[in-house]
Amino acid sequence: DKFNEYFVSEKVAKHYLNSAKNKIADVALTVPDKELIEKCEWCGMMEWKYSSIDLFLKKGIGFVAVQGDKICSEAYSCNGDGTYAEMGVITAIDKKRQGFGFAACLKVLEELEKRGLKPTWSCDRDNEGSQNLAKKLGFINPIPYEFLWIPKQE
């Protein structure tokens, strides 16, 4: 599988953060509690990465954009090594290109900055939507790489 990895340009990210405030009406950008995260599409991934939802809620970083009772977008950061932390986002199909993923990602970026972590962004090279969002958020200089999958030995 072929991917690109991006690193954030703080200047660009801060520009978008300042210009994006109050652009989406009636949306709650919230840290998920256990009830909300169990409704999220990436709940299983957060449970897998952290070994439990409770541990994710204690140590992880995530924000959910909710409009009414609809989860519009989820943004998370995982795999922090004390210096870098990878970001990810998923947006409901009918909510794409409306700013929900962008807004949730900005909240994750703010939290990473508070914790002194540098965000990274990886995505499939064919995922133009993810690449465009990464650039809009201020991620620059993509580095192409490939995963090598090693079959499990039995």
Side-chain angles (χ1 to χ4, degrees):
D1 293 338
K2 297 181 181 196
F3 298 88
N4 284 336
E5 183 166 23
Y6 295 81
F7 295 88
V8 75
S9 161
E10 292 178 27
K11 182 178 178 183
V12 175
K14 286 183 181 182
H15 164 74
Y16 278 114
L17 178 60
N18 291 331
S19 67
K21 292 185 177 174
N22 302 320
K23 286 197 175 179
I24 303 173
D26 304 323
V27 174
L29 285 165
T30 184
V31 174
D33 58 16
K34 192 164 188 171
E35 181 181 342
L36 180 58
I37 200 163
E38 287 176 349
K39 297 175 185 175
C40 289
E41 191 166 341
W42 279 2
C43 176
M45 183 183 297
M46 295 305 106
E47 185 172 26
W48 174 71
K49 293 224 180 233
Y50 285 86
S51 74
S52 75
I53 291 300
D54 290 328
L55 190 57
F56 167 74
L57 294 172
K58 187 175 182 179
K59 295 189 172 196
I61 298 171
F63 285 87
V64 179
V66 181
Q67 189 174 46
D69 62 353
K70 169 90 173 168
I71 295 173
C72 302
S73 190
E74 311 163 32
Y76 303 101
S77 179
C78 299
N79 302 334
D81 67 358
T83 303
Y84 293 97
E86 184 172 348
M87 288 184 60
V89 63
I90 188 165
T91 302
I93 291 172
D94 63 328
K95 298 295 183 180
K96 289 184 182 282
R97 300 186 53 90
Q98 297 177 43
F100 296 102
F102 179 74
C105 285
L106 287 176
K107 296 299 284 182
V108 170
L109 285 170
E110 285 179 337
E111 185 61 29
L112 289 172
E113 185 175 13
K114 286 179 195 173
R115 296 186 189 192
L117 296 169
K118 296 176 183 176
T120 66
W121 185 284
S122 293
C123 63
D124 187 13
R125 288 187 203 166
D126 296 333
N127 189 340
E128 289 182 29
S130 184
Q131 290 182 45
N132 290 336
L133 179 55
K135 290 173 187 172
K136 185 176 179 182
L137 288 163
F139 288 89
I140 56 172
N141 300 331
I143 301 168
Y145 70 95
E146 295 184 33
F147 269 119
L148 299 176
W149 300 101
I150 300 172
K152 191 175 185 178
Q153 300 290 325
E154 296 196 34

